Amino acid sequence: MRKFDDPEEIIIAPSILAADWSRLAEEVARAIRSGADWLHLDVMDGHFVDNISFGPQFVQTLTSTNDFFYDVHLMIERPDHYLDRFIKAGADNLTVHVEANHDVAESLRRIRAAGVKAGLSLRPETDFSLVEPYLDQIDLLLVMTVVPGFGGQKFMLETMASVAAAKKYREARGLSFHIEVDGGIYEETAVTARDHGANVLVAGTAAFGAPDMTAAVRALRG
Ligand code: DX5
Ligand code: ZN
């Protein structure tokens, strides 16, 4: 279901990284049937993170087979070099990392100019002050709650400081960007993340790994 307007509404975004890639079309259909709101697509280039996942053509395959909201997370060194291809591939939200090798403000401007929601992400070890200069130019802040690169890792509680700082900053300046968390999100850690101010919850293992995905999505929503 397409939702983007209210940063208070809880949005559940299963990450395709944890899906059964041998049955991808059915897995996406399962996610849609489960009541999830977005599909989170983890793009990895083997440079920005120590893993390689998929590119624009893979994203295009998904977006052209199911009408849904596609939340594309670019864990790549040169997002500026690929923005046009992921926009063309049908991304509804396109998130770039503040640590990557690009002009962050210019990338965010180009994403919005294409009519796509603009997201900015920071790794667990990155200080929140690094994203502050851009918070008035984004629709979504993605606080990584694991070191990016792999699913199935343990939630890092210390990242809640950035979630709380983002919420405080947003309220102080009357902004309305979504706060998304990503990595190690299960029923219990979803409560912690929501309590600190996150409203978009990415779940790979906890969603696609669940025998009953509908129940898993409901549990994550709280
Ligand atoms: C990690 C990805 C996450 C990951 C989440 O780099 O950005 O989206 O797939 O997977 P789980 O929910 O299994 O930790
Ligand atoms: Zn992700």
Side-chain angles (χ1 to χ4, degrees):
M1 185 186 4
R2 292 170 183 276
K3 272 193 284 195
F4 205 102
D5 309 331
D6 173 5
E8 298 307 316
E9 203 163 344
I10 300 300
I11 291 169
I12 306 301
S15 162
I16 199 85
L17 201 65
D20 174 354
W21 287 18
S22 71
R23 302 182 307 106
L24 215 39
E26 297 98 276
E27 287 286 76
V28 174
R30 181 162 72 106
I32 294 174
R33 273 198 316 275
S34 76
D37 302 291
W38 298 356
L39 201 65
H40 185 79
L41 307 182
D42 286 311
V43 178
M44 303 177 182
D45 66 356
H47 294 280
F48 184 73
V49 291
D50 186 27
N51 196 2
I52 298 174
S53 59
F54 44 77
Q57 187 176 337
F58 181 95
V59 172
Q60 172 82 54
T61 307
L62 294 179
T63 62
S64 47
T65 40
N66 284 286
D67 178 27
F68 206 46
F69 188 95
Y70 292 92
D71 172 29
V72 179
H73 176 194
L74 296 182
M75 288 165 275
I76 65 177
E77 195 54 38
R78 289 291 315 279
D80 54 325
H81 188 61
Y82 290 93
L83 288 183
D84 297 346
R85 282 176 263 184
F86 282 105
I87 290 164
K88 192 165 165 294
D92 294 293
N93 176 75
L94 199 47
T95 296
V96 295
H97 268 266
V98 71
E99 306 94 347
N101 176 17
H102 64 130
D103 175 336
V104 175
E106 176 59 9
S107 295
L108 294 169
R109 190 197 61 72
R110 285 173 54 200
I111 295 169
R112 279 186 151 178
V116 174
K117 299 290 187 186
L120 184 62
S121 185
L122 68 165
R123 294 168 182 267
E125 70 275 17
T126 299
D127 194 87
F128 179 76
S129 59
L130 235 70
V131 296
E132 270 187 32
Y134 309 105
L135 295 180
D136 60 347
Q137 302 155 46
I138 62 170
D139 301 295
L140 174 141
L141 179 73
L142 168 49
V143 177
M144 288 306 295
T145 43
V146 294
V147 172
F150 297 89
Q153 299 178 79
K154 194 173 169 323
F155 177 82
M156 296 168 70
L157 187 61
E158 60 269 37
T159 60
M160 291 300 103
S162 289
V163 171
K167 182 172 193 280
K168 195 157 154 272
Y169 188 100
R170 184 177 69 188
E171 277 155 13
R173 287 163 178 74
L175 298 171
S176 64
F177 54 86
H178 287 270
I179 300 173
E180 183 175 40
V181 288
D182 183 8
I185 300 297
Y186 291 82
E187 189 171 352
E188 315 74 57
T189 50
V191 175
T192 306
R194 289 200 312 265
D195 288 352
H196 283 84
N199 74 294
V200 184
L201 307 175
V202 175
T205 312
F208 278 109
D212 179 346
M213 196 168 182
T214 305
V217 167
R218 200 176 304 123
L220 287 164
R221 209 183 287 281

